[in-house]
Amino acid sequence: MEGKLWRQFINGEYQAFDFLYKQYHSKMYKFGIRYCKNEELVKDCVQEVFMYIYDSKNNKKVPDNVGAYLNKCLRNLIFKKMESEKRQWSCLDNVVSTMFLIDCCEKEQILLEDREKKKQKMNQALSMLTNDQKQLLLLKYCEGVSYREISKALKIKEDSAKKQVYRLLKRIRIKTG
């Protein structure tokens, strides 16, 4: 269905583009807000992705997965904008919070002070990761993307994606004690 709509758009049926926009713009916003907490920047980037696609429709082939393609374009544009404006990305807040809460539930008797220290260690461990490593964790734990889809998006083998996630989590656990 998505591929058919994309082909119709490429062939000049602008209603198909309108339908794709309506179907994906809010999903892309939700995806983008995980990478960047600046709502206006994310909204602008979503619009810019659609303008780019519209302007260069003659040069576009039909993507295998339209949603994944649009999200990848959005993610790349957000990173580019954030880098150019020297903004720090705080996109792993959800992962940090989730891992921190799971740990806290297992140890209900830990004092608030100890929890803060652990959270600081977690943030410090995550700050040592490369953008590619952060992206891998985001796709897996924020987006709930399967290892198969991660392997396609990042152009790595599925087993490699699994191993990298396992190793990253192990490294984070070691760093946080």
Side-chain angles (χ1 to χ4, degrees):
M1 172 77 174
E2 296 169 335
K4 182 180 178 184
L5 285 169
W6 196 275
R7 274 190 228 70
Q8 289 173 342
F9 162 62
I10 290 172
N11 292 328
E13 295 180 33
Y14 298 106
Q15 291 171 337
F17 178 79
D18 187 48
F19 184 80
L20 286 169
Y21 176 81
K22 287 177 182 173
Q23 183 175 356
Y24 285 104
H25 81 279
S26 63
K27 292 176 186 176
M28 289 172 64
Y29 172 80
K30 289 176 186 173
F31 175 81
I33 208 70
R34 291 187 174 165
Y35 286 93
C36 175
K37 300 299 180 197
N38 183 335
E39 294 179 9
E40 292 304 313
L41 176 67
V42 174
K43 287 177 185 177
D44 290 345
C45 287
V46 169
Q47 293 298 323
E48 203 168 317
V49 167
F50 278 104
M51 288 187 325
Y52 169 77
I53 290 167
Y54 185 86
D55 290 341
S56 60
K57 72 176 184 293
N58 295 331
N59 300 329
K60 294 287 173 207
K61 65 177 187 169
V62 179
D64 294 331
N65 182 330
V66 172
Y69 172 77
L70 292 172
N71 284 340
K72 184 177 180 179
C73 290
L74 178 63
R75 183 196 69 230
N76 290 343
L77 183 58
I78 288 172
F79 285 162
K80 181 179 175 182
K81 296 246 183 209
M82 287 174 60
E83 186 176 317
S84 70
E85 296 174 15
K86 296 193 190 286
R87 293 184 180 153
Q88 293 183 350
W89 57 271
S90 60
C91 55
L92 285 176
D93 284 345
N94 291 338
V95 174
V96 171
S97 297
T98 302
M99 291 175 74
F100 181 69
L101 288 174
I102 290 169
D103 193 39
C104 287
C105 290
E106 293 175 353
K107 303 173 185 177
E108 290 180 10
Q109 301 303 319
I110 296 176
L111 299 171
L112 181 61
E113 187 176 325
D114 291 337
R115 286 188 220 149
E116 267 309 306
K117 288 179 183 177
K118 193 161 198 89
K119 189 173 180 180
Q120 287 174 349
K121 285 182 181 179
M122 181 78 73
N123 283 327
Q124 186 177 23
L126 290 171
S127 71
M128 295 171 145
L129 300 178
T130 66
N131 283 347
D132 290 340
Q133 292 169 330
K134 289 176 185 177
Q135 178 185 354
L136 188 63
L137 291 177
L138 280 170
L139 289 172
K140 183 64 185 160
Y141 294 105
C142 290
E143 292 300 314
V145 176
S146 71
Y147 286 112
R148 183 172 167 228
E149 291 171 329
I150 290 172
S151 68
K152 286 182 182 178
L154 301 179
K155 297 180 182 165
I156 59 175
K157 293 182 181 178
E158 187 173 341
D159 286 342
S160 177
K162 289 178 186 178
K163 287 177 187 174
Q164 287 182 39
V165 167
Y166 172 79
R167 289 177 182 152
L168 288 170
L169 292 177
K170 184 177 178 180
R171 186 181 338 162
I172 290 169
R173 285 186 184 110
I174 289 170
K175 296 266 186 204
T176 59

